[in-house]
Amino acid sequence: MFGNFDKYIMVFLTGLVVSYLLTPVVKSMAFRFGVIDRPDARRPHQRPTARGGGVGLFIAVQIACFLAVTFPWPNKLAGEFGFNWWWHFAIASSILFVVGVIDDVRGMKPLIKLAGQALAALVVSLSGTKFGLFLGYNLPAPLDHLLVVIWLIAIINAFNLIDGLDGLASGLAIISAVGLAGILAMQHKAGDVLILVGFIGACLGFLRYNFHPASIFLGDTGSMFIGFTLGVVSLQTLNKNSFIISFTIPMLVLGVPIYDAVLAIWRRAVRKWISEKTHGVKRGIMQPDLEHLHHRMRFSGLSTQRVAMYLYVINGTLVMVGLLIAFFQSQAAGIFLIALLAGVYVLMRHLAVIELRETGSAFLMGLRRPTNSAVKSLLYPFWDMIWLSGSLALIMWVVEQKRVDFWHTWFFDLPVWVTPTFSLLAISRSYVTYWPRARLRDVISIIFLLFGGILFSLGLALLVNPSESRESIYRALWVIAISHPPIIASRVIYRCIEELAIWVRGQSEHSGATERILLYGCGTRAQLFLKDCAATNAKNPDRRVIVGFIDDESALHYQWTYGYLVLGGTKELPHLISKWKINRIIVVADLLPESWKTIREIAIQERVCLSEWFPQEHEINLAKSPKSDIVETLHKSA
C-alpha cells in the first residue's frame, strides 16, 4: 500500500487533476449561459472572459478532502480534520457556494451576500471549530462563536476584494496554504496538512487557466470559497496556550489580502464620512473603487504579471515571518515586533498614501467643523479609556507589585475597575457635549459621574473579594488620583473659569420669567452675550429666560453649547416657537442677507420680537449731541 509520502502525492494529484479537467468544462458552460465578465473601467482585461471558475475549484477541493479523510490509509496520520469535520465543512462551504453562484449569475445585494457568509461561518462554529483559550481562560460560548464568525467573514471578503487581477487571488491562496501547512506540520498535525495539500493542488490546476492572460476568472464563487477554506484551516493553527502571539501567525500568512481589505475599509469609511459631511451624499463602504493594492501597482506602470509576482513575493515574505514565529516560540515576541514595525513602515510609506491623505483631509475638516464623529466618537471616549485602563495597569505594576500573570489579572480586572465609570460617562450627556463651549455645571456633573463610577467599582470589588477590602480602597484612591485629573482637565481647559459668571446667573434666571428667548448663533458673540447677561443680572435681574440656541451649523444640533441645548436650525424655528412658547429671538451672529430675510419673515408670521446683540466698536459722531447718538445706536440694535 501507500507510505506516508504517497498519501500527500495522491491527495495533491487528485485536487490538481480534477481542477485541471473541470475548469475548461466550467468555462464552456459559462459562455453558454452568459456568465461573462466584459471589459470596463474596473476590469483591465481586453476581451470578454468567463467567470465562475470557482465551481470547478470547489468540486476539486471537496473530492480531495473526501479522499484525505475517508480513504483507508494503512498508517493514519495525527490530526483533527476527520470525516466529521469534513462533513460540516462541506455543508457550510456548500451554502457559500450557492451564494457565490447566484451572485456570479444574477448578482446579489451586499447585505444578502453578507448574510449568506455569516450563515456558512455559523455552521462551522456550531460544528465545534473554536478560538479556544484567551489569555489562559476559556471564552464564553457566545463570544467564541461570534469571534469565529467575524474571523471567517473577514477572510472571505479579504480574498473577494483582492480578486481583481489575473491569477492574483489563486496564487496568493497557494502561498498562504503552504504557510499554513508548514505551521500545522510544526505542530505535529500531519493529518491536517492533507487538506491543504489537496487545496494547493486544486488551486494550481485552476491557476493554469487563470494566470495572465486569464481565460476564466474565479468569480465570487471561487474567491469566497478560497477565503473560507483558508479561514477555517487557519483557526486550527492557533496555539491555545499563547493566543496573542499565535493569532499573529495566520494574520501574517494571510497578510496581503487582509492588509488590502483593511486599507479598503479605512479608505471607504473616511470617504463616506467626508462625502456626507461636505456634500450631504451618502456613500456606501461596500461601494467598489479602483484603489486596491493591485490597481495602484498597475496604474504605476507595472504589467499584470509583475504586479502578481510582486504581491506573491510580499505574501511569501510574510509567510516566512509567520513560520519563524511558529518555529522560534521563545523569541516569537521579538520577531513579531520587528515584523510589525517593518510592515507598518512599508504600509504607511508606500501603500497607504491615499488613505493617509484622505484621513488628513477628514481630520482637518473635523477641526474646522466640530462634528459628532470628530469630537464625540473619537476624542473623549478614547482619551477616557486610555487613562482609566492605563491607570489601573500602572497601579498594579508599580504600586501593588502584581507582576506574576500581570496581563491576565489586568485584563480580568478591567470590567470591575473601568467598565462602570466608562459606562456612566457613555450613558450621560458627556459625549454629546461640545466641551470647548460647556458650562461649569457640565464639569461638575462629570466629576460626580467619575466618583460615582469609582464608588460602584469599589462596591463590586468588595463584593467579589471582601477579604481584600483595604487593598480595594487603596486602589480606588489611586485610580482617582491618577485618572480623574486628566479626564476632568480635558473638559475644563477651555471654559471653566470663563463660565463661572454664567453659572451664577443660571441659578435664578427661571424664577418669575416674563420673556422666553431663543438665541440665534452659537459663536463667540453668543458667549460674550451670555457673559454680559451674567454681569448685568448680577446687579439687576431682568426676569427673562434663555430657552436654548438655534444655529445653521447642523453639526451642532442637539449638542450642549455654553450650557444650553442647540434645538435646531432655521427650518425648525416655527415649530420651536410654538413648542417652547418663545416670544423673543435675539440674533448673536453675523447673518447673510438671505438669512436675515428668512428670520424676519418667521418673526412676523409667528408674532415674536426680534432683536440683535453685538459688542462691536461704534464710532461716535462728535458733531451730534450725545443724546441723538445714543438714540441712533439703540435704533440700530433693535
Side-chain angles (χ1 to χ4, degrees):
M1 295 294 287
F2 302 104
N4 286 346
F5 186 72
D6 293 333
K7 298 177 185 179
Y8 297 107
I9 297 296
M10 177 67 73
V11 174
F12 173 79
L13 289 177
T14 300
L16 176 69
V17 173
V18 173
S19 177
Y20 186 84
L21 296 178
L22 275 182
T23 300
V25 178
V26 174
K27 173 185 172 183
S28 176
M29 294 180 64
F31 275 105
R32 181 179 178 181
F33 291 101
V35 186
I36 300 170
D37 258 348
R38 303 187 183 277
D40 58 25
R42 295 191 65 252
R43 297 172 175 86
H45 53 280
Q46 302 299 318
R47 59 186 180 182
T49 306
R51 68 172 179 267
V55 173
L57 181 67
F58 172 83
I59 296 173
V61 171
Q62 297 295 354
I63 292 176
C65 288
F66 179 78
L67 177 66
V69 300
T70 61
F71 194 85
W73 306 107
N75 300 314
K76 295 296 289 182
L77 298 173
E80 299 182 22
F81 291 159
F83 181 82
N84 186 58
W85 172 88
W86 172 77
W87 176 243
H88 289 97
F89 172 77
I91 294 174
S93 57
S94 297
I95 295 172
L96 198 64
F97 174 79
V98 172
V99 172
V101 170
I102 295 174
D103 192 35
D104 285 336
V105 175
R106 301 178 56 184
M108 183 179 290
K109 292 182 179 180
L111 289 179
I112 297 178
K113 184 162 66 174
L114 184 64
Q117 296 170 359
L119 178 60
L122 186 60
V123 170
V124 170
S125 177
L126 294 176
S127 69
T129 300
K130 298 180 179 180
F131 268 79
L133 298 178
F134 179 71
L135 298 177
Y137 295 88
N138 285 312
L139 290 170
L143 179 59
D144 203 311
H145 291 314
L146 179 63
L147 290 176
V148 170
V149 171
I150 291 174
W151 171 255
L152 292 180
I153 289 176
I155 303 304
I156 289 170
N157 286 285
F159 275 89
N160 194 18
L161 289 172
I162 203 70
D163 183 30
L165 206 66
D166 294 354
L168 183 56
S170 50
L172 291 175
I174 293 171
I175 296 171
S176 297
V178 169
L180 290 174
I183 294 166
L184 288 173
M186 292 180 191
Q187 296 176 353
H188 307 290
K189 299 176 181 178
D192 295 344
V193 175
L194 280 172
I195 302 299
L196 288 171
V197 168
F199 176 81
I200 293 169
C203 288
L204 280 173
F206 175 77
L207 189 60
R208 158 66 181 80
Y209 306 96
N210 186 234
F211 201 74
H212 186 76
S215 60
I216 188 170
F217 295 146
L218 279 169
D220 280 2
T221 306
S223 62
M224 292 197 301
F225 174 68
I226 282 177
F228 181 74
T229 304
L230 293 175
V232 171
V233 176
S234 66
L235 290 173
Q236 197 65 30
T237 66
L238 296 180
N239 186 335
K240 306 302 188 291
N241 295 323
S242 55
F243 179 88
I244 295 178
I245 293 299
S246 64
F247 187 68
T248 64
I249 296 174
M251 290 287 289
L252 289 169
V253 171
L254 304 171
V256 170
I258 290 177
Y259 294 157
D260 181 68
V262 170
L263 287 179
I265 295 172
W266 174 10
R267 177 176 64 251
R268 295 173 186 180
V270 171
R271 286 180 175 173
K272 178 179 184 294
W273 186 83
I274 293 176
S275 178
E276 291 180 357
K277 295 303 178 183
T278 56
H279 307 295
V281 178
K282 290 188 176 181
R283 182 187 180 99
I285 292 180
M286 306 185 82
Q287 184 174 344
D289 57 32
L290 288 172
E291 290 170 353
H292 291 285
L293 296 180
H294 50 277
H295 289 140
R296 299 183 196 183
M297 297 175 76
R298 285 281 291 121
F299 294 152
S300 69
L302 295 175
S303 64
T304 301
Q305 297 97 319
R306 285 196 173 187
V307 171
M309 295 307 298
Y310 283 157
L311 291 177
Y312 290 169
V313 171
I314 292 173
N315 206 51
T317 304
L318 293 173
V319 166
M320 291 300 299
V321 174
L323 291 174
L324 287 173
I325 293 176
F327 187 75
F328 297 103
Q329 287 292 325
S330 59
Q331 291 83 23
I335 296 172
F336 169 65
L337 181 59
I338 295 172
L340 179 64
L341 293 176
V344 169
Y345 172 77
V346 173
L347 185 69
M348 295 302 176
R349 176 67 177 82
H350 301 286
L351 302 179
V353 176
I354 295 174
E355 286 75 17
L356 290 174
R357 186 185 67 233
E358 299 287 352
T359 304
S361 300
F363 180 73
L364 292 176
M365 188 178 73
L367 291 178
R368 290 193 298 266
R369 298 165 60 89
T371 64
N372 284 347
S373 298
V375 178
K376 182 185 72 174
S377 300
L378 294 178
L379 181 58
Y380 291 113
F382 178 76
W383 176 265
D384 295 347
M385 182 56 73
I386 287 294
W387 276 101
L388 289 170
S389 56
S391 65
L392 178 62
L394 183 65
I395 293 165
M396 293 173 62
W397 185 267
V398 177
V399 179
E400 299 175 350
Q401 299 289 319
K402 292 186 176 181
R403 301 181 182 181
V404 178
D405 293 332
F406 171 78
W407 291 111
H408 293 189
T409 308
W410 175 77
F411 181 80
F412 284 95
D413 278 358
L414 285 177
V416 175
W417 291 96
V418 173
T419 302
T421 301
F422 190 78
S423 299
L424 284 178
L425 293 174
I427 64 177
S428 70
R429 72 183 191 187
S430 169
Y431 295 141
V432 295
T433 298
Y434 185 52
W435 285 98
R437 300 179 186 176
R439 295 178 70 176
L440 185 59
R441 67 184 183 189
D442 297 316
V443 179
I444 295 175
S445 70
I446 201 171
I447 293 174
F448 277 107
L449 289 172
L450 290 172
F451 276 97
I454 200 63
L455 288 176
F456 191 85
S457 297
L458 180 59
L460 285 177
L462 294 176
L463 185 64
V464 173
N465 294 311
S467 61
E468 299 181 0
S469 58
R470 177 178 297 180
E471 291 80 358
S472 298
I473 293 173
Y474 284 151
R475 177 179 287 189
L477 294 175
W478 276 110
V479 170
I480 293 172
I482 296 175
S483 66
H484 289 191
I487 292 175
I488 297 171
S490 66
R491 270 78 170 179
V492 305
I493 193 171
Y494 296 100
R495 303 295 179 190
C496 183
I497 298 176
E498 291 82 356
E499 295 299 323
L500 181 59
I502 298 176
W503 180 83
V504 174
R505 182 214 175 198
Q507 305 308 302
S508 59
E509 65 179 3
H510 291 273
S511 57
T514 59
E515 204 170 37
R516 299 177 63 81
I517 297 170
L518 267 181
L519 300 181
Y520 192 149
C522 301
T524 305
R525 191 191 297 185
Q527 181 191 12
L528 295 175
F529 170 78
L530 293 172
K531 290 181 180 180
D532 182 72
C533 289
T536 302
N537 287 289
K539 300 178 181 179
N540 184 25
D542 60 357
R543 300 171 66 82
R544 44 174 26 188
V545 57
I546 297 173
V547 175
F549 283 101
I550 58 170
D551 197 283
D552 294 331
E553 181 70 46
S554 60
L556 293 173
H557 290 178
Y558 311 112
Q559 294 201 50
W560 292 84
T561 303
Y562 302 132
Y564 297 97
L565 187 63
V566 181
L567 300 172
T570 308
K571 294 181 180 179
E572 295 85 4
L573 186 53
H575 171 70
L576 295 175
I577 290 174
S578 173
K579 178 180 179 180
W580 296 99
K581 298 180 181 179
I582 303 300
N583 47 28
R584 179 175 290 276
I585 301 171
I586 300 179
V587 178
V588 286
D590 294 323
L591 302 184
L592 297 174
E594 52 267 27
S595 299
W596 266 115
K597 180 181 178 182
T598 302
I599 198 73
R600 286 176 184 273
E601 291 175 353
I602 294 175
I604 293 172
Q605 180 180 351
E606 300 295 332
R607 297 182 180 180
V608 298
C609 298
L610 178 64
S611 58
E612 182 183 15
W613 185 92
F614 53 93
Q616 297 160 332
E617 180 181 284
H618 175 68
E619 186 72 23
I620 297 177
N621 190 339
L622 298 178
K624 294 182 180 180
S625 64
K627 182 177 180 181
S628 63
D629 190 77
I630 293 173
V631 171
E632 181 180 346
T633 302
L634 293 175
H635 176 71
K636 289 181 179 180
S637 300

